[in-house]
Amino acid sequence: MPLPSLTLEQRTAALEKAAASRKERVLVLAELKQGRRALRELLDSESAIVRRTPVRKLLESLPGIGKVRAGRLMTEFDIAASRRVQGLGERQRQLLLERFETPAA
């Protein structure tokens, strides 16, 4: 089935919406990396932007986690490479929180 053709205005609106979504995602992941947001907060988020974020990008945004370590964690926790935050199972969420959540002082 071919994609519907869009008018110039519809295409422009869609591009602006996509750009705004990418900008918000980048800001949220930067806040996570800087420690201004907690992993639990993002995993429990109702934001459509956060829920559609790939888990790998989320892991790579954690302090001290790079691409290689994120890949190893995805394998260890049995998370598919294409999985997004909204698609995480309860066990996977719990494993991530146990690994990265700091105990309350």
Side-chain angles (χ1 to χ4, degrees), residues 69-104:
R69 196 153 167 228
R72 287 182 186 149
L73 289 166
M74 299 275 291
T75 301
E76 179 183 341
F77 296 148
D78 197 28
I79 300 172
S82 61
R83 181 70 61 212
R84 297 185 183 273
V85 171
Q86 69 186 359
L88 283 173
E90 190 56 41
R91 182 186 66 81
Q92 293 165 330
R93 294 167 63 86
Q94 195 58 40
L95 288 170
L96 287 170
L97 289 172
E98 286 172 6
R99 176 71 59 94
F100 294 106
E101 205 169 46
T102 56

Side-chain angles (χ1 to χ4, degrees), residues 16-32:
E16 288 173 358
K17 183 178 176 183
S21 295
R22 284 191 301 272
K23 184 176 181 179
E24 183 179 341
R25 183 175 298 116
V26 166
L27 290 173
V28 167
L29 294 178
E31 288 175 349
L32 177 64

Side-chain angles (χ1 to χ4, degrees), residues 10-21:
Q10 290 172 324
R11 181 169 163 71
T12 302
L15 289 171
E16 288 173 358
K17 183 178 176 183
S21 295

